[in-house]
Amino acid sequence: MIYLDNGATSFPKPPEVIKAINDALAAPASPGRSGHAAALNASRTIHRARKSVARLFGLPDNSRLAFTSNVTWSLNLALNGLGLKTGDHVLSSALEHNSTARPLARFQKEIQIDWEVVPPGPAGLMLAEDFQVRLRPETRLVVLNHASNVTGALAPAKAIKEAIGTIPLLLDTAQTAGSLPMDDYGQWADLIAFTGHKGLLGPTGTGGLWIREGLDFRPLAVGGSGSRSESLVHPDFLPDALEPGTANTHGLAGLAAGVEFLLNVGLDKVREHEMGLTQYFLENIVNIPGLSIIGPGPGVASRVATVSVVLEGWSSSDLAASLEKGYGIMIRSGLHCAPLTHQFVGTFPGGASRFSIGYFNTLEDVQTAARALAELAAHTGHRG
Ligand SMILES: Cc1ncc(COP(=O)(O)O)c(C=O)c1O
């Protein structure tokens, strides 16, 4: 099998991650609750996860990092917690995933926020000045998908933050965390949302949200926190304020191990490896007759390791099925939970076939994928 669906979830997980989860499962896990040795050990596991994620993003204060079950929860936590009101103006990129687009569409319908979508520039890349020219006195928030899970376009997040000044930037790092160096983000970002099971090499059911000091925040859910148990009022200090209920100790043990693995390898090495393979793949498919590559041009500087294609005469799902049946290659077809993006790039409603390369892919994997695409293109019209 050749796994090229790392944009959906990464595979394989490093052995260290599997071991950490197994070890955690073999012990009682009630962090922040009981006072016995096993509970204290579980708290240490959570602390280790918080410390490693804080190192990854260069966070000045890891207590402002709340763990969630995935980036969708983190983004909902952020969008609901900021207390958007009728008439507030919110900018987002056009390359958003439904994890931000659906909450924004709901706020637009139910409380009439003014949600404005910023289109990508001519090369399919988001441009800082396109956010800046749309700012108004009522602009409360800018929402940015750091890298498109369809086109692979990498947004210039820091330049966008500089262009919008004091307006908070909510960054969806689902497709970037663990794939590029981000250890200065804590110095300038406002809200960083991440998921644990993609580039961070952790298990599903893990994710988080970091909120910079000074941003007013309301929890989406309240309940047991293990702290201030005498009060019916949920604690207002972070991270307890945003972590009601028993934490996912087993999952966070795996997330800590995944992030530590990446930090040991070095994020610059991860980026170099993934983009080397992406460059090779792009160069070897660009001239396939009938094949269109969706997204920014042939260079890889403004990309992550995600390449979506449309092959003339094929539906995206038929192409994915033939790649699996004929070559054992696993990719993702369809709309990738990002209908807005497909509308902007002209692939709605048919979608595209997405190859997403991960740290454990090899040159042989992408060579086979490029050859498979060329062979299937050559057989167009002679299928089945
Ligand atoms: C850009 C982007 N945002 C959000 C998500 C949602 O991730 P999760 O399902 O882990 O919440 C994904 C992944 O599918 C994504 O690619």
Side-chain angles (χ1 to χ4, degrees), residues 7 70-72 75 97 99 145 147 149 172 174-175 195 197-198:
N70 51 48
V71 75
T72 303
L75 292 162
H97 187 276
S99 292
N145 184 1
N149 57 314
D172 174 357
Q175 296 294 331
T195 207
H197 66 104
K198 298 184 198 267

Side-chain angles (χ1 to χ4, degrees), residues 215-241:
L215 272 181
D216 269 352
F217 223 78
R218 192 181 146 80
L220 190 54
V222 296
S225 62
S227 55
R228 302 264 161 94
S229 293
E230 74 288 355
S231 174
L232 288 183
V233 179
H234 192 76
D236 59 0
F237 52 86
L238 287 166
D240 299 33

Side-chain angles (χ1 to χ4, degrees), residues 33-326:
R33 305 300 197 264
S34 317
H36 52 71
L40 296 181
N41 218 19
S43 292
R44 266 180 223 116
T45 299
I46 310 289
H47 182 63
R48 197 176 128 195
R50 235 186 277 283
K51 248 176 75 182
S52 49
V53 172
R55 231 184 103 199
L56 184 88
F57 292 122
L59 306 179
D61 178 359
N62 69 13
S63 71
R64 300 192 64 82
L65 166 65
F67 287 120
T68 63
S69 50
N70 51 48
V71 75
T72 303
W73 272 108
S74 310
L75 292 162
N76 273 270
L77 197 58
L79 289 166
N80 284 278
L82 288 168
L84 294 173
K85 293 189 202 61
T86 303
D88 282 346
H89 179 231
V90 177
L91 287 172
S92 83
S93 84
L95 307 180
E96 295 303 307
H97 187 276
N98 277 343
S99 292
T100 52
R102 283 182 173 169
L104 289 172
R106 188 157 92 167
F107 284 132
Q108 191 174 40
K109 184 159 179 253
E110 293 179 357
I111 61 163
Q112 289 83 49
I113 65 158
D114 183 357
W115 171 28
E116 186 177 352
V117 172
V118 181
L125 298 170
M126 298 308 305
L127 302 173
E129 55 268 32
D130 289 340
F131 287 86
Q132 193 169 33
V133 295
R134 288 174 170 81
L135 295 179
R136 301 186 209 150
E138 319 78 71
T139 310
R140 280 284 316 280
L141 179 68
V142 173
V143 178
L144 182 68
N145 184 1
H146 196 199
S148 166
N149 57 314
V150 176
T151 68
L154 183 60
K158 192 171 181 197
I160 291 173
K161 175 59 196 167
E162 281 161 7
I164 64 173
T166 55
I167 293 160
L169 176 71
L170 169 58
L171 201 56
D172 174 357
T173 68
Q175 296 294 331
T176 50
S179 286
L180 44 126
M182 294 173 75
D183 57 4
D184 64 334
Y185 280 51
Q187 286 168 31
W188 52 266
D190 299 297
L191 297 125
I192 302 175
F194 63 93
T195 207
H197 66 104
K198 298 184 198 267
L200 296 183
L201 307 176
T204 52
T206 57
L209 176 68
W210 176 77
I211 305 164
R212 79 152 158 78
E213 180 98 55
L215 272 181
D216 269 352
F217 223 78
R218 192 181 146 80
L220 190 54
V222 296
S225 62
S227 55
R228 302 264 161 94
S229 293
E230 74 288 355
S231 174
L232 288 183
V233 179
H234 192 76
D236 59 0
F237 52 86
L238 287 166
D240 299 33
L242 298 182
E243 290 183 348
T246 301
N248 176 6
T249 313
H250 308 125
L252 291 173
L255 176 65
V259 174
E260 283 162 14
F261 174 89
L262 292 163
L263 291 169
N264 287 337
V265 171
L267 272 298
D268 45 354
K269 294 254 162 46
V270 175
R271 171 87 176 148
E272 195 184 315
H273 176 74
E274 291 186 355
M275 298 326 293
L277 297 185
T278 305
Q279 175 111 45
Y280 178 93
F281 186 55
L282 287 166
E283 281 167 9
N284 282 271
I285 62 170
V286 69
N287 292 321
I288 294 177
L291 189 88
S292 314
I293 300 170
I294 312 302
V300 293
S302 298
R303 269 191 170 277
V304 291
T306 290
V307 177
S308 289
V309 302
V310 172
L311 182 57
E312 216 174 274
W314 291 73
S315 72
S316 67
S317 51
D318 278 355
L319 184 58
S322 293
L323 286 165
E324 182 167 13
K325 194 161 165 236

